[in-house]
Amino acid sequence: MQKNFSQRCFSWFKQVLIFIGMLILMELPQSGLLLANNNQNIFLAWGLFFGFYALFFIVAFKFLKLKELYRPWQSGNGRFLLWMWITLMGCKIIFTSLNMLIYHQETSANDQAIVNLMQKNPTTAVMTVVMAVIFAPLTEELIFRGLFMNFFFRKSDFWAIFVSGLIFGLAHSSTTLASVILYCSMGWVLGYTYRKSQNLVVSTSLHFINNLPAVLLLLTGN
């Protein structure tokens, strides 16, 4: 029994390290964005940007069973995705309105940071769009849904969705309670989408559909 307990502790500790390591890897491509933001070597900036993302996916391929996470598209996924998108939009409308009404903040701190990067120079604008529209849905769904929910809450749907959504929300820059709840609610909807469909393709598609028009609006609004 003691041996089994030790093995479980070691396995849990290993999973925590993998989760933390993947979180760090997810942030490393921003070093390229930082170089571009300071108008330094553009080629090096792009190399770091794509190089660290490549490293992220190499590590993900090694530690995660991607075939179990990304499943073939099923006939009912489209309708389910539509309902989840409507739910997500409802959450955004409610909490964005509360943020404006209570805190007089029209743009969340996270979105404002994106706007600031887009305004800096053309390179940071392109990098920010690529990161927010393509890489953010891929990496965040892998970490917060595929990795976290399956590593730590495989048997509990409620806690898997609640805790992963909470961490997802807190990971986004927020300066008001309403914006914190906004991003948490987005994480909960994405978590439910993955747990219900058992397919990261569906939750990643929802994440992409959410980010694309939002980023385009921020881009054209400048």
Side-chain angles (χ1 to χ4, degrees):
M1 181 177 292
Q2 186 174 359
K3 183 178 180 180
N4 291 335
F5 177 75
S6 299
Q7 289 176 341
R8 288 197 298 269
C9 288
F10 176 77
S11 177
W12 184 84
F13 183 69
K14 179 182 177 181
Q15 290 172 337
V16 170
L17 289 180
I18 292 173
F19 177 68
I20 294 174
M22 294 294 286
L23 282 175
I24 294 172
L25 279 176
M26 184 177 67
E27 297 299 323
L28 288 180
Q30 295 194 33
S31 60
L33 193 57
L34 181 62
L35 278 179
N37 191 42
N38 293 328
N39 290 308
Q40 298 184 21
N41 192 313
I42 301 302
F43 294 104
L44 178 59
W46 279 111
L48 290 173
F49 184 76
F50 285 113
F52 280 125
Y53 273 123
L55 179 61
F56 174 92
F57 291 113
I58 290 172
V59 174
F61 182 79
K62 179 176 178 59
F63 289 107
L64 298 174
K65 298 178 181 178
L66 298 183
K67 289 184 178 180
E68 295 181 4
L69 298 175
Y70 295 97
R71 301 176 185 272
W73 189 268
Q74 302 295 322
S75 59
N77 288 154
R79 181 180 298 178
F80 177 63
L81 179 62
L82 175 61
W83 281 112
M84 289 300 96
W85 177 78
I86 292 174
T87 303
L88 190 62
M89 290 302 100
C91 292
K92 292 181 69 173
I93 291 171
I94 292 171
F95 292 112
T96 299
S97 300
L98 287 175
N99 202 34
M100 294 175 61
L101 181 65
I102 299 173
Y103 300 101
H104 309 292
Q105 188 181 78
E106 295 184 2
T107 305
S108 69
N110 187 78
D111 285 351
Q112 188 59 50
I114 293 175
V115 170
N116 293 340
L117 286 171
M118 288 179 175
Q119 292 177 330
K120 188 68 176 180
N121 59 58
T123 302
T124 59
V126 174
M127 276 189 178
T128 302
V129 171
V130 172
M131 179 176 65
V133 175
I134 299 175
F135 288 120
L138 288 170
T139 57
E140 290 177 3
E141 290 310 303
L142 263 173
I143 290 178
F144 294 109
R145 259 61 70 179
L147 191 154
F148 184 84
M149 295 175 76
N150 288 300
F151 269 16
F152 305 112
F153 295 98
R154 183 177 291 273
K155 296 181 180 180
S156 173
D157 290 344
F158 174 80
W159 288 111
I161 295 169
F162 179 78
V163 179
S164 67
L166 185 63
I167 296 175
F168 176 83
L170 294 175
H172 288 74
S173 301
S174 300
T175 54
T176 67
L177 179 60
S179 60
V180 170
I181 299 175
L182 165 63
Y183 286 108
C184 286
S185 67
M186 291 170 62
W188 292 326
V189 173
L190 289 164
Y192 177 81
T193 301
Y194 167 65
R195 204 65 161 193
K196 183 71 174 179
S197 66
Q198 289 295 307
N199 191 350
L200 272 186
V201 173
V202 182
S203 61
T204 303
S205 298
L206 178 59
H207 203 146
F208 169 80
I209 294 170
N210 173 74
N211 283 19
L212 177 60
V215 171
L216 291 178
L217 283 173
L218 292 175
L219 184 64
T220 57
N222 295 328

